Amino acid sequence: MKPLTAFIKKEWMEMFRNGKLTILLILFILFGIMSPALAKLTPALYEMLAETMKEQGITISQMEVTALTSWMQYFKNAFMELIVLVCMFSGILTNEYQKGTLIPMYTRGLSRSNVLFAKFLTTVIVWTLCYYLCFGITYAYNAYFWDNSIVYNLSLSVFCLYLLGIWLITIIFAVSALLSSGAAVMLATGGIFAALYFMSLIPKISKYLPVRLLNAGELVTKTSSAATSSVLTVDTCYPAIAVTLILCLFNYIIAYLFLRQKKL
């Protein structure tokens, strides 16, 4: 237990020293501010555009901005958050391979399963902290400027994107157990995501794929639970959630099995 605790402390110290945690916190704070800021500026932008178009004989009606406008922008920004997540953690294991820093850990009694668990736990905690910090900032601004009560299924929608991030983390670890380069891990993770995205265009299987959760923003505007093939609803998101949870466990097991066999 002591080697595991020491390794977890080492991971957190490294996060602070290399500035990765600071960069992530700054980026996610900016993401949290971005959505309400853009929503607040939208009427002014429309007004400027309307004056320009009026000279050409085109009339643009005024746009009403609500908390829903800000939340829709929040969910559009979610893809950028996932990209940041993959870019920042694609070298979580491969950097250790290249530096050879895991070998002393193993000789001191730290098992490979403990290494995997410590790194996975640290990554999940960082993702949770950054993601819900971003959400909390957006929620606070939206509550101050508008009214969050007009938004439906907000907790479920936010959880869907959070779970999608956890799934990507497990992919990173599974791929990292096979490859030895952070760039290769990044490309492989992106390739898997892209492949499943194109597979989601097939109606019969789309509702079971994790990438379906990327459309979580559709839940905040829908009160109906009727299942459709094109729009994500409360009912149709649960199969994707269930499959994503299963795949998270599967990816973690794959990461463990291949890491155990990997030569350092």
Side-chain angles (χ1 to χ4, degrees):
M1 212 41 206
K2 287 184 179 180
L4 175 61
T5 305
F7 191 77
I8 292 175
K9 289 181 179 179
K10 171 256 181 190
E11 287 295 302
W12 280 106
M13 290 179 63
E14 190 172 325
M15 283 271 189
F16 281 107
R17 287 174 179 173
N18 61 22
K20 184 179 291 185
L21 182 60
T22 303
I23 293 172
L24 283 169
L25 288 173
I26 292 173
L27 287 175
F28 277 80
I29 288 173
L30 292 176
F31 285 139
I33 297 172
M34 187 187 303
S35 302
L38 289 175
K40 198 67 177 175
L41 291 172
T42 297
L45 295 175
Y46 263 78
E47 187 176 343
M48 294 173 58
L49 181 62
E51 292 179 0
T52 304
M53 300 301 291
K54 189 176 181 180
E55 297 176 357
Q56 302 178 12
I58 301 174
T59 303
I60 299 179
S61 59
Q62 289 186 339
M63 178 181 180
E64 182 183 0
V65 176
T66 64
L68 183 60
T69 310
S70 178
W71 282 117
M72 293 304 294
Q73 184 62 48
Y74 172 86
F75 288 108
K76 289 178 183 178
N77 295 340
F79 188 67
M80 291 189 292
E81 297 174 19
L82 296 175
I83 291 176
V84 169
L85 174 69
V86 173
C87 291
M88 294 299 286
F89 289 105
S90 58
I92 189 73
L93 279 173
T94 56
N95 289 342
E96 302 279 6
Y97 305 153
Q98 294 169 357
K99 296 176 182 177
T101 51
L102 288 179
I103 297 175
M105 296 293 178
Y106 293 150
T107 57
R108 293 175 185 174
L110 188 66
S111 66
R112 300 195 181 201
S113 61
N114 283 341
V115 168
L116 179 63
F117 176 75
K119 285 186 170 291
F120 179 74
L121 179 63
T122 303
T123 308
V124 169
I125 291 175
V126 171
W127 166 243
T128 303
L129 174 64
C130 292
Y131 179 79
Y132 279 101
L133 174 64
C134 175
F135 165 72
I137 292 172
T138 302
Y139 187 92
Y141 272 107
N142 289 348
Y144 179 78
F145 288 121
W146 302 288
D147 181 12
N148 283 320
S149 64
I150 67 170
V151 182
Y152 299 101
N153 308 310
L154 183 58
S155 298
L156 179 61
S157 302
V158 170
F159 173 75
C160 286
L161 290 178
Y162 171 74
L163 181 60
L164 188 60
I166 298 295
W167 172 69
L168 282 174
I169 290 172
T170 62
I171 291 179
I172 290 172
F173 277 88
V175 174
S176 296
L178 293 170
L179 305 176
S180 301
S181 164
V185 171
M186 191 186 306
L187 289 173
T189 303
I192 292 171
F193 188 93
L196 289 181
Y197 180 81
F198 286 113
M199 288 175 62
S200 69
L201 300 177
I202 304 173
K204 291 184 178 180
I205 63 172
S206 63
K207 68 177 182 178
Y208 300 106
L209 299 178
V211 293
R212 180 75 163 159
L213 301 179
L214 194 60
N215 299 328
E218 296 174 354
L219 294 172
V220 299
T221 60
K222 302 294 177 182
T223 57
S224 172
S225 61
T228 64
S229 59
S230 59
V231 178
L232 188 68
T233 64
V234 173
D235 283 351
T236 57
C237 76
Y238 286 120
I241 290 175
V243 172
T244 303
L245 289 171
I246 294 171
L247 288 178
C248 285
L249 178 61
F250 175 78
N251 291 339
Y252 188 87
I253 294 173
I254 290 296
Y256 168 72
L257 293 177
F258 281 100
L259 183 62
R260 191 174 61 176
Q261 302 298 325
K262 192 174 184 66
K263 295 182 179 179
L264 301 177

